Amino acid sequence: MYTYQDWLKYANKSEDERMAFIQTAINDHKSSPEYSEALAGEDYYAGRNTTIIKYEKVLYNAFGQAVPDVVSANHKIATRFFYRDVTQANAVLLGNGIKWKGTQGEKALGKDFDRKIITAGRNAQVQGKAFGFYNDKKVDIFKLTEFKPFFDEEDGALKAGIRFWQLAPEKPMRATVYELDGYTEYRFTDKSSEVIQPKRTYIVEKKTSVADGEEIYDFQNYPTFPIVPLYSNDLKMSELTPLRAKIDAKDLISSGYANDVDDANIIYWTINNAGGMDDMDLVQTIDKLRKIHAAQTDSDQTLTPNQVEAPYASREACLDRLEKELYMDAMAFNPYDIASGAATATQIEAAYDPLDEKLDIYESHISEFIAGLLQVADVEDEPTYERNYHTNKTEVIGNILNGASYLDDEYVTEKLMTLMGDKDKIEEVKKRKAETDIDRLAKGKPEEEEVNGDQEGEQEV
């Protein structure tokens, strides 16, 4: 594992030595356990269980040698539980977007930051880490599988890194080295290495005039390193790691179950009093049965069909238990817990409790990540979150309307429109409601004046 101090050793060396170290650091990163963990997370997220893909059935011959079993069924069934778990956490915490206490956060990080933060959260959960690069009032997200970080041995802070990408093994590899005082771009091939963009600062100030056109007048860097790490949990590891063993067990049992059904749920024939038949005779007899569904035998010879069915009760019980334990270990919301009948709001809230506990920790890491980006942007603001739950909408809407007299109109409108799935129309509804209130007051005003006039007339008489 190479650290920031290792990188500093090459700070004043020649470009050839720096480029050699860049390639070494990238190769070291690709061979690290965290990189392998990140690749596994991507596979399981995509529904590719590498454990069962690599699993091969074997037979042992008369000499005790293992040979591949190419005859019996070998289904490889993978669950998409990990995808559901990651998607659920991000949808509940970040699905409604980031709300800001001030006005500077959204301006500094860009209007598409709601989409970027979901991408960052997904990468952090799947790969264990994600990285946000702030520059020019926007954020770019890097995966661990494309970014080699250099952490400081003294304080653990991220102070440099290499982003790398390559379309195919035979194609050139591009790399960008990010440092505190700027970034440099490189290209690597099997035969050569070159600098394609010398080090430049992150901030380039430009001005435009009619006489001179666009002109660069200043170069600056940020007060801190502009790349910020994001973790999804306190252990800084992929959410797959603690779940992988149970996912593998579930997939192996499901695959084995399918194999046994495929192999055992068949009909085979017993031919009585046929000791004189050789293998070819048996094959021809069964082939004839398959074609014309009838057979002709001697008077003392009979054909008896037999059927074998794979046992399923124990497997079904084991799969059900693994499914429940997966939801427990992942601290995920299990919709099947409330699927039967009309669940009350209280029951739904109770089912969300484990997910809420996990999201409390996840939210703290998201907030720390955003705070780091705002520090780079030299902006003060604070994010807030509105979690996106499934609820008993009828019951919740009824509760809001019952308490409407104690709440302001704006709050009630926002809550009702959100529950009804029309968040984008909140401002429009507020505007129409305000106009309706104004019209109502305007229509009521003459009546009040008329009543007041009558009263004054009576008093004068």
Side-chain angles (χ1 to χ4, degrees):
M1 175 184 178
Y2 290 105
T3 64
Y4 179 61
Q5 280 69 21
D6 293 320
W7 171 252
L8 289 178
K9 294 176 184 177
Y10 291 83
N12 298 318
K13 292 189 177 183
S14 67
E15 279 295 353
D16 288 340
E17 291 177 295
R18 285 165 63 92
M19 287 189 290
F21 177 74
I22 289 169
Q23 290 179 291
T24 300
I26 292 173
N27 291 332
D28 177 75
H29 180 59
K30 288 182 176 181
S31 63
S32 66
E34 63 177 4
Y35 189 88
S36 299
E37 181 182 58
L39 290 178
E42 289 291 345
D43 283 330
Y44 279 70
Y45 182 81
R48 295 189 298 266
N49 186 323
T50 51
T51 301
I52 63 171
I53 289 174
K54 295 176 181 177
Y55 176 76
E56 294 292 341
K57 299 175 72 174
V58 297
L59 296 173
Y60 292 91
N61 59 23
F63 301 99
Q65 299 171 328
V67 295
D69 181 1
V70 296
V71 178
S72 59
N74 191 16
H75 297 287
K76 298 177 185 293
I77 302 173
T79 180
R80 296 204 71 188
F81 177 84
F82 186 54
Y83 175 86
R84 296 199 308 271
D85 178 39
V86 171
T87 302
Q88 182 185 96
N90 283 305
V92 172
L93 181 62
L94 305 171
N96 286 325
I98 300 292
K99 305 293 185 297
W100 298 96
K101 290 189 176 180
T103 60
Q104 298 301 311
E106 184 176 357
K107 292 180 181 179
L109 302 184
K111 292 184 178 180
D112 64 341
F113 184 67
D114 285 346
R115 178 175 59 84
K116 296 289 183 67
I117 192 64
I118 291 177
T119 300
R122 176 261 179 211
N123 292 343
Q125 289 190 299
V126 172
Q127 297 195 357
K129 298 178 183 67
F131 303 89
F133 170 45
Y134 177 83
N135 195 27
D136 195 22
K137 295 183 179 180
K138 66 178 182 179
V139 179
D140 291 319
I141 306 301
F142 300 159
K143 295 180 178 180
L144 181 66
T145 49
E146 64 181 9
F147 184 75
K148 160 58 186 172
F150 290 114
F151 292 99
D152 193 307
E153 296 174 12
E154 301 299 329
D155 58 14
L158 178 63
K159 294 185 177 178
I162 307 169
R163 189 192 180 200
F164 56 92
W165 64 98
Q166 189 174 17
L167 293 179
E170 69 276 8
K171 299 297 181 181
M173 180 177 70
R174 290 284 300 276
T176 303
V177 176
Y178 297 91
E179 301 176 81
L180 290 167
D181 58 345
Y183 63 95
T184 312
E185 297 184 18
Y186 298 87
R187 180 190 288 116
F188 300 96
T189 66
D190 293 337
K191 299 179 180 179
S192 65
S193 303
E194 61 177 328
V195 179
I196 59 175
Q197 172 65 59
K199 184 183 287 188
R200 54 167 290 180
T201 59
Y202 294 103
I203 305 173
V204 178
E205 299 290 351
K206 300 178 181 180
K207 63 181 179 180
T208 304
S209 64
V210 177
D212 301 323
E214 189 175 72
E215 181 183 1
I216 297 175
Y217 69 91
D218 194 15
F219 298 90
Q220 298 180 35
N221 284 307
Y222 293 102
T224 60
F225 187 56
I227 299 179
V228 181
L230 169 64
Y231 311 101
S232 68
N233 54 63
D234 294 338
L235 298 175
K236 301 179 181 181
M237 67 181 185
S238 169
E239 294 289 335
L240 171 69
T241 302
L243 305 176
R244 185 170 180 175
K246 280 192 172 68
I247 291 176
D248 288 346
K250 186 176 185 298
D251 290 350
L252 285 169
I253 292 174
S254 297
S255 300
Y257 189 8
N259 292 335
D260 288 348
V261 170
D262 200 352
D263 287 336
N265 194 20
I266 60 176
I267 295 176
Y268 68 92
W269 295 83
T270 302
I271 305 177
N272 300 318
N273 300 318
M277 298 176 67
D278 57 20
D279 290 346
M280 186 55 66
D281 294 330
L282 293 172
V283 170
Q284 290 175 347
T285 301
I286 298 302
D287 185 56
K288 187 176 181 181
L289 283 171
R290 288 172 175 166
K291 289 179 179 178
I292 64 176
H293 304 286
Q296 192 174 29
T297 66
D298 297 332
S299 59
D300 58 348
Q301 190 179 63
T302 59
L303 292 171
T304 305
N306 300 273
Q307 186 172 8
V308 176
E309 293 185 1
Y312 68 91
S314 60
R315 294 177 190 247
E316 291 287 352
C318 188
L319 288 173
D320 288 344
R321 178 172 179 176
L322 285 171
E323 182 86 6
K324 291 178 181 178
E325 290 185 359
L326 273 172
Y327 275 105
M328 291 175 61
D329 290 350
M331 301 178 72
F333 170 71
N334 187 352
Y336 302 107
D337 287 343
I338 58 172
S340 58
T344 65
T346 303
Q347 290 173 318
I348 296 174
E349 287 177 7
Y352 270 109
D353 279 346
L355 178 61
D356 270 336
E357 293 171 1
K358 180 174 73 170
L359 292 185
D360 288 341
I361 298 174
Y362 184 32
E363 181 181 312
S364 69
H365 290 291
I366 292 286
S367 296
E368 185 178 355
F369 173 69
I370 294 175
L373 294 174
L374 294 178
Q375 183 181 3
V376 176
D378 197 20
V379 165
E380 291 187 7
D381 207 336
E382 188 175 343
T384 61
Y385 313 87
E386 183 180 341
R387 297 188 183 180
N388 183 25
Y389 295 118
H390 293 291
T391 60
N392 185 326
K393 291 185 179 180
T394 302
E395 183 177 349
V396 175
I397 289 174
N399 291 337
I400 293 173
L401 293 176
N402 289 336
S405 59
Y406 300 96
L407 304 169
D408 61 86
D409 288 347
E410 185 171 338
Y411 176 84
V412 173
T413 301
E414 288 183 358
K415 283 294 183 182
L416 291 177
M417 296 303 292
T418 300
L419 285 168
M420 291 186 291
D422 290 324
K423 287 184 60 178
D424 56 332
K425 297 181 180 178
I426 289 177
E427 295 303 322
E428 179 185 345
V429 171
K430 285 182 182 178
K431 183 179 179 181
R432 288 207 308 265
K433 192 173 187 304
E435 292 173 351
T436 302
D437 291 342
I438 292 172
D439 291 343
R440 187 182 298 112
L441 289 172
K443 291 177 180 178
K445 189 173 181 181
E447 296 177 2
E448 294 176 1
E449 291 178 348
E450 184 178 348
V451 171
N452 291 335
D454 291 342
Q455 291 176 346
E456 290 174 0
E458 291 175 2
Q459 290 175 357
E460 290 176 0
V461 173

